[in-house]
């Protein structure tokens, strides 16, 4: 008995010491220091509520003992200071939380009836704000001290943290919302500056504002998280710059990657002239641009992840030009000059401005930049491969990349061989001599085959271009093999694979099989993708002599295009789709006009030409079809005028070059050399054109050059036997 009495007396002494320290802490408004508290065997801080190493009876007894200690501590706090019930539990709960006793702290916090003191807290905050605004000491005594309000606010926040630690995130979010509701209703104009500077009120509020959206995310309530993020950013909480920037960044990341589309911000939060984002992506871009502006103004530190997220957002939304503007505004200390050149080149290339992109890459790859930059060399070669004029430079860039990659990444070596093959292919179409062209075509296939081996048949782009190159060189069996490999690799998900397979089959004169492939593609694709498929199907039907069926297919295509045109509206980001739609409709009318011209249905052909004129007056293809109409009527001079005008619009329009030579030959008052020059010009642009070779053979035959004529006729026959209904490329 004496020993029990001694232990009890020592425990009370330690509890008294603990309470005195807690009271001192509360009265001074400072945070309780954990290291200053002397632990005791009876303290809640020494008990572990998360470990279950005893029997259930021992746990129950320990819990009863803890509850008894909490009640004893509350009584002592209320007896030793001017604390009410809620304040005493708030102070004790904070102590238990800081000692790591989460369950014990939550038990204490759950005993606080915050609803009973909410009105007093609101009145106290409102009165404090009015007094601070008037700078007068004459005011009504608030029902609570600001320290008491701060203590209770902190208790609510720590309760939310305790619930979060126990994975009760929805309850934690609801508890955290109480803090924001109290402050927002009592201070509708916002949290004043230096308000509660003598206590922890501002610190607690800032933490609660930052924590609330995270809790809703953890509770799998994304809509509530969105509302909390917007509430944090649109209401005046007097957050510091870094906290505000952190919330903006987290919100932008959530909008970008959450995988859901949510309602845009309410218009009541917007000023009359401000931009209102309509989608998650737009809202995220707006937030990230604000953060970049803060970086530029040196309000916050440079964070490269902000730019990474903005790059992604603008890329998927088609805003590469805007991304380029952001890159150009970045300060030199935030981005390396070489990286700036490369990113800008990517942006301009994505926007279709290849020349600007290439000039930027030349600066990057100069001796003053980074001549061995593999990404820069590969991109430069890829851009050059799209232009016959720069194909030679593309070959040099690709070979420099291969030299830099010796003994390094095999995957990148495969990409380097791939872009080398593209540049060699472009160069082979630009050379004049046959021997040089054959040599480059052979090197093209070698490079693409090397790329195929290095990428282990897993790069669909390599397989696609292998098919195209083999098809253009009329190696149709090999092309057919790669076309099927491409479709298998892509899982049949891309239209260009089905289109290429149909064209290879048409070159093999397997027209029914090719039409079946197109029908299968139409069945598996959406109506918005039917345009090009239907046009190819119509040409396959013409090749089989099914003219009426082809006309019906073209009419179906025009109906699809009309629906698409009405659906596009005037959205700026749909400009490319609208332009493609107009071009497709224009060419469809021209195809129909060609059918009617061959059938001598000239009035129908003129109707089709009037329709195309409403779309584009100055189109080389329209002028060419008009020339065919005049030529079929025997009006050769009018036809020659049309062809001349077509070449004035587009000097590289191959059909107009060939038809000009044909009409000049029919008129008969021009020298063979003049006629031959038009045909040679057509063959320089398209060496695989059977009609050009055939007409050139006729010229040689009239001149008496039997050997040259025979070679031309042989080339024309060979090409015509393997000519697809549409170009492979």
């Amino acid at each position: 008995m004496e020993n029990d009495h001694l232990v009890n007396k020592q425990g009370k002494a330690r509890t008294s010491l603990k309470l005195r320290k807690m009271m001192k802490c509360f009265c001074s408004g400072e945070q309780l220091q954990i290291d200053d508290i002397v632990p005791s065997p009876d303290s809640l801080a020494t008990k572990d509520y998360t470990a279950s190493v005893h029997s259930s009876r021992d746990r129950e007894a320990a819990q009863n003992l803890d509850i008894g200690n909490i009640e004893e501590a509350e009584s002592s706090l209320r007896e030793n200071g001017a604390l009410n019930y809620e304040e005493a539990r708030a102070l004790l709960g904070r102590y238990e939380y800081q000692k790591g006793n989460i369950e014990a702290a939550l038990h204490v916090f759950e005993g606080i009836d915050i609803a009973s003191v909410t009105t007093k807290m609101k009145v106290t905050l409102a009165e404090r704000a009015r007094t601070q605004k008037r700078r007068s000491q004459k005011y009504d005594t608030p029902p609570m001290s600001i320290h008491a309000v701060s203590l209770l606010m902190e208790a609510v926040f720590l309760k939310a943290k305790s619930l979060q630690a126990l994975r009760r995130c929805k309850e934690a979010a609801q508890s955290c919302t109480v803090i924001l509701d109290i402050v927002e209703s009592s201070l509708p104009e916002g949290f004043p500056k230096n308000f509660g500077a003598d206590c922890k009120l501002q610190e607690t509020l800032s933490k609660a504002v930052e924590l609330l959206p995270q809790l809703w995310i953890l509770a799998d309530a994304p809509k509530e998280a969105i509302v909390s993020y917007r509430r944090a950013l649109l209401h005046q909480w007097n957050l510091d710059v870094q906290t505000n920037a952190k919330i903006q960044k987290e919100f932008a990341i959530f909008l970008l990657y959450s995988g859901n589309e949510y309602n845009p911000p309410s218009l009541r939060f917007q000023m009359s002239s401000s931009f209102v984002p309509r989608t998650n992506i737009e809202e995220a871009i707006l937030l990230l641009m604000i953060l970049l502006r803060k970086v530029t103004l040196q309000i916050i530190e440079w964070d490269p992840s902000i730019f990474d997220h903005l790059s992604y957002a603008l890329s998927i939304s088609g805003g590469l030009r805007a991304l380029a503007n952001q890159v150009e505004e970045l300060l030199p200390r935030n981005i390396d000059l070489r990286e700036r050149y490369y990113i800008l080149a990517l942006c301009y290339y994505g926007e279709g401005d290849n020349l600007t992109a290439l000039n930027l890459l030349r600066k990057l790859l100069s001796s003053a930049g980074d001549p061995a930059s593999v990404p820069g060399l590969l991109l430069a070669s890829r851009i050059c491969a799209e232009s016959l004029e720069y194909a030679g430079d593309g070959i040099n860039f690709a070979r420099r990349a291969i030299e830099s990659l010796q003994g390094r990444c095999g995957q990148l070596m495969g990409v380097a061989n791939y872009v080398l093959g593209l540049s060699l292919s472009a160069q082979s179409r630009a050379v004049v001599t046959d021997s040089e062209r054959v040599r480059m075509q052979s090197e093209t296939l070698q490079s693409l085959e090397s790329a195929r081996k290095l990428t282990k048949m897993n790069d669909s782009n390599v397989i696609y271009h292998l098919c195209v190159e083999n098809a253009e060189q009329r190696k149709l069996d090999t092309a057919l093999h790669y076309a099927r490999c491409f479709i298998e690799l892509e899982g049949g998900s891309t239209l260009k694979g089905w289109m290429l397979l149909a064209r290879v089959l048409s070159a093999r004169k397997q027209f029914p099989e090719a039409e079946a492939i197109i029908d299968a593609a139409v069945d598996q694709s959406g109506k918005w993708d039917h345009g090009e498929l239907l046009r190819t199907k119509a040409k396959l039907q013409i090749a089989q002599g099914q003219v009426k069926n082809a006309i019906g297919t073209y009419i179906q295509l025009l109906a699809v295009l009309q629906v698409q045109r009405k659906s596009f509206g005037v959205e700026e980001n749909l400009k490319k789709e609208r332009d493609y739609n107009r071009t497709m409709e224009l060419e469809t009318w021209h195809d129909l006009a060609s059918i009617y011209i061959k059938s001598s249905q000239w009035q129908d052909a003129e109707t089709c030409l009037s329709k195309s004129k409403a779309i584009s007056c100055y189109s080389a293809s329209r002028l060419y079809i008009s020339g065919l109409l005049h030529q079929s009527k025997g009006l050769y001079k009018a036809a020659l005028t049309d062809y001349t005008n077509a070449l004035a619009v587009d000097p590289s329009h191959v059909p107009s070059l060939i038809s000009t030579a044909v009409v000049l030959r029919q008129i008969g008052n021009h020298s063979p050399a003049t006629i031959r020059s038009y045909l040679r010009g057509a063959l320089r642009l398209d060496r695989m054109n059977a009609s050009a070779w055939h007409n050139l053979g006729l010229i040689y035959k009239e001149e008496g050059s039997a050997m040259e004529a025979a070679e031309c006729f042989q080339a024309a026959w060979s090409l015509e036997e393997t000519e697809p209904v549409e170009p492979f490329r």
Side-chain angles (χ1 to χ4, degrees):
M1 289 295 293
E2 291 180 1
N3 291 337
D4 293 342
H5 178 72
L6 179 60
V7 170
N8 190 29
K9 186 176 181 180
Q10 291 174 346
K12 288 185 177 180
R14 293 191 183 98
T15 301
S16 178
L17 176 61
K18 175 178 71 175
L19 295 177
R20 285 198 301 273
K21 289 183 176 289
M22 293 169 71
M23 283 298 301
K24 180 181 178 182
C25 170
F26 173 68
C27 293
S28 65
E30 298 174 357
Q31 184 175 347
L32 187 64
Q33 300 296 322
I34 297 175
D35 296 336
D36 293 339
I37 299 174
V38 180
S40 71
D42 298 325
S43 171
L44 293 171
T46 61
K47 303 189 185 310
D48 186 357
Y49 280 82
T50 60
S52 179
V53 295
H54 301 292
S55 65
S56 59
R57 182 177 299 175
D58 292 338
R59 288 198 301 271
E60 184 177 354
Q63 184 176 359
N64 292 334
L65 180 60
D66 289 332
I67 293 172
N69 286 341
I70 291 170
E71 293 173 350
E72 180 185 354
E74 289 173 13
S75 300
S76 299
L77 280 170
R78 295 168 67 184
E79 290 171 3
N80 287 280
L83 297 178
N84 60 25
Y85 178 82
E86 283 76 16
E87 293 166 5
R89 292 190 75 91
L91 189 58
L92 184 61
R94 182 174 72 179
Y95 170 76
E96 295 297 341
Y97 181 85
Q98 289 175 331
K99 296 297 288 183
N101 296 330
I102 303 300
E103 291 187 17
L106 182 60
H107 177 78
V108 176
F109 291 135
E110 286 179 337
I112 299 175
D113 185 9
I114 196 69
S116 64
V117 293
T118 297
T119 303
K120 294 180 180 179
M121 294 170 68
K122 290 180 179 180
V123 172
T124 301
L125 291 173
E127 185 62 32
R128 172 89 173 207
R130 283 195 297 270
T131 303
Q132 190 176 28
K133 188 175 182 180
R134 292 196 306 263
R135 297 183 179 180
S136 170
Q137 297 300 321
K138 296 179 180 180
Y139 56 90
D140 297 333
T141 303
M144 299 177 67
S145 70
I146 195 66
H147 287 290
V149 174
S150 176
L151 179 64
L152 291 173
M153 288 277 200
E154 185 186 24
V156 177
F157 175 74
L158 293 179
K159 177 184 177 182
K161 293 288 290 183
S162 301
L163 289 166
Q164 180 190 12
L166 297 175
R167 299 185 180 181
R168 293 160 60 181
C169 297
K170 184 176 181 180
E171 296 175 60
Q174 292 168 346
S175 178
C176 205
T177 303
V178 171
I179 300 174
L180 275 63
D181 289 342
I182 291 173
V183 174
E184 196 170 31
S185 60
S186 57
L187 304 170
E189 296 181 1
F191 203 81
K193 292 184 179 180
N194 301 319
F195 186 86
D198 52 345
C199 61
K200 295 175 59 182
L201 187 57
Q202 177 67 69
E203 179 185 347
T204 301
L205 178 61
S206 298
K207 289 179 178 179
V209 171
E210 184 180 352
L211 178 64
L212 182 57
Q214 300 172 10
L215 292 174
W216 283 123
I217 292 172
L218 292 173
D220 194 22
K223 290 184 179 180
E224 288 78 3
I226 292 284
V227 172
S228 299
Y229 273 124
R230 289 172 180 160
R231 185 181 187 183
L233 296 174
L234 295 173
H235 193 78
Q236 297 296 325
W237 304 109
N238 194 27
L239 303 176
D240 63 82
V241 172
Q242 297 301 326
T243 301
N244 187 267
K246 184 179 178 182
I247 294 173
Q248 288 176 326
K249 178 184 172 183
E250 290 176 353
F251 187 22
I253 291 172
F254 181 74
L255 288 168
L256 282 176
Y257 309 113
S258 63
N260 294 298
E261 188 66 42
Y262 305 102
N263 294 328
S266 173
L267 294 177
R268 68 187 181 90
F269 291 119
Q270 304 297 330
M271 298 175 63
S272 58
S273 60
S274 61
F275 169 74
V276 181
R278 294 164 295 180
T279 63
N280 286 5
I281 301 297
E282 287 186 359
E283 192 169 2
I285 289 172
L286 180 61
L287 289 166
L288 293 168
M289 282 186 169
I290 291 172
L291 288 171
L292 271 188
R293 176 63 60 184
K294 289 180 178 179
V295 170
T296 303
L297 298 176
Q298 301 183 28
I299 297 174
I300 60 174
E301 295 293 327
W302 165 248
D303 182 356
S305 66
I306 295 174
F307 180 73
D308 293 340
H309 295 304
L310 181 61
S311 299
Y312 169 75
L314 288 172
S315 298
I316 64 175
S317 61
L320 292 176
R321 183 74 64 173
L323 178 59
N325 294 336
Q326 293 296 318
V327 174
E328 289 171 349
E329 290 179 4
L330 290 177
L331 298 176
R333 66 170 177 270
N334 294 332
I335 185 171
D336 182 74
L337 183 61
R338 293 168 295 183
E339 185 181 4
R340 188 193 300 268
Y341 283 148
Y342 181 68
I343 295 175
L344 284 173
L346 284 173
C347 292
Y348 285 113
Y349 177 58
E351 284 291 311
D353 191 352
N354 289 11
L355 186 58
T356 302
L358 186 57
N359 289 335
L360 287 164
L361 289 170
R362 290 187 191 279
K363 291 182 180 181
L364 169 65
L365 300 171
S366 65
S367 57
D370 186 4
S373 171
V374 173
L377 290 167
L378 295 178
L379 180 58
S381 179
R382 183 71 180 84
I383 293 172
C384 290
E386 297 180 10
S387 169
L388 300 181
E389 183 181 355
Y390 299 107
D393 293 336
I395 294 172
N396 293 331
F397 286 132
R399 285 174 175 163
R400 283 169 58 183
I402 291 173
E403 184 179 351
S404 299
L405 286 168
Q406 290 297 333
R408 292 168 61 187
C409 177
Q411 203 64 23
L412 277 178
M413 183 68 81
V415 176
N417 277 278
Y418 163 65
V419 295
L420 175 60
L422 296 183
S423 296
L424 285 167
S425 175
Q427 184 73 355
S428 70
R429 298 193 297 275
V431 296
V432 177
T433 62
D434 290 341
S435 60
E436 188 71 9
R437 186 181 67 258
V438 170
R439 182 183 66 81
M440 287 200 159
Q441 286 178 341
S442 176
E443 290 183 11
T444 298
L445 288 179
Q446 289 176 8
S447 296
L448 291 175
E449 284 290 345
S450 297
R452 177 187 65 81
K453 293 175 183 177
L454 287 166
T455 56
K456 301 177 182 179
M457 284 286 289
N458 290 325
D459 192 325
S460 59
N461 288 323
V462 174
I463 303 302
Y464 178 83
H465 283 92
L466 265 171
C467 176
V468 171
E469 288 301 324
N470 279 285
E472 288 198 331
Q473 298 181 34
R474 297 307 191 261
K475 299 177 181 179
L476 297 180
D477 290 341
T478 306
L480 183 61
H481 166 72
Y482 283 124
R484 287 170 174 162
C485 289
F486 177 79
I487 290 176
E488 183 179 353
L489 194 60
E490 291 284 310
S493 60
T494 56
L495 290 181
K496 71 176 185 178
W498 296 107
M499 298 285 295
L500 183 58
L501 177 57
R503 289 167 183 168
V504 172
L505 288 171
S506 71
R508 291 163 59 93
K509 306 308 176 187
Q510 296 176 252
F511 299 121
E513 292 86 344
E515 188 176 354
I517 290 293
I518 295 298
D519 287 336
V522 168
D523 292 338
Q524 294 182 25
S525 61
K527 287 201 172 190
W528 296 113
D529 299 323
H530 286 178
E532 198 170 356
L533 291 170
L534 290 174
R535 189 181 181 203
T536 302
K537 179 179 179 178
K539 291 183 177 181
L540 288 168
Q541 290 169 335
I542 292 171
Q544 299 173 77
Q546 302 170 5
V547 178
K548 289 185 178 180
N549 291 341
I551 293 174
T553 303
Y554 276 125
I555 293 173
Q556 182 184 355
L557 170 57
L558 288 170
V560 171
L561 294 174
Q562 185 177 10
V563 172
Q564 288 180 349
R565 184 174 66 252
K566 291 180 178 179
S567 301
F568 287 148
V570 293
E571 295 292 335
E572 182 64 27
N573 59 347
L574 294 177
K575 184 178 182 301
K576 291 181 179 179
E577 288 79 359
R578 287 199 303 273
D579 291 344
Y580 174 80
N581 183 280
R582 286 169 58 86
T583 303
M584 178 67 72
E585 185 177 359
L586 186 73
E587 295 303 324
T588 301
W589 286 117
H590 294 163
D591 289 347
L592 276 171
S594 297
I595 293 176
Y596 292 132
I597 289 171
K598 290 176 182 178
S599 304
S600 298
Q601 295 176 252
W602 296 331
Q603 187 174 358
D604 291 334
E606 289 173 354
T607 301
C608 293
L609 286 173
S610 66
K611 293 287 186 180
S612 71
K613 185 178 181 180
I615 300 173
S616 175
C617 295
Y618 304 103
S619 164
S621 60
R622 180 188 173 277
L623 292 167
Y624 166 70
I625 297 297
S626 178
L628 288 181
L629 178 60
H630 286 127
Q631 186 178 348
S632 66
K633 292 179 178 182
L635 305 173
Y636 298 126
K637 289 187 178 180
L640 182 60
T641 301
D642 287 331
Y643 296 142
T644 303
N645 291 335
L647 291 173
V649 174
D650 181 8
S652 62
H653 193 253
V654 172
S656 294
L657 287 169
I658 298 171
S659 294
T660 299
V662 171
V663 170
L664 290 174
R665 180 169 165 269
Q666 289 173 333
I667 293 174
N669 59 354
H670 290 79
S671 66
T674 302
I675 300 172
R676 194 164 52 243
S677 67
Y678 283 100
L679 295 172
R680 287 292 184 189
L683 288 171
R684 274 196 299 271
L685 295 166
D686 182 8
R687 299 288 298 183
M688 312 302 286
N689 193 295
S691 178
W693 284 110
H694 176 76
N695 283 285
L696 185 61
L698 291 175
I699 299 298
Y700 279 124
K701 182 181 178 182
E702 291 176 355
E703 291 179 330
S705 303
M707 185 67 70
E708 288 82 354
E711 290 177 355
C712 290
F713 289 140
Q714 176 64 35
W717 177 82
S718 177
L719 290 171
E720 192 173 355
E721 285 296 306
T722 56
E723 187 175 18
V725 294
E726 291 179 318
F728 294 113
R729 195 177 297 278

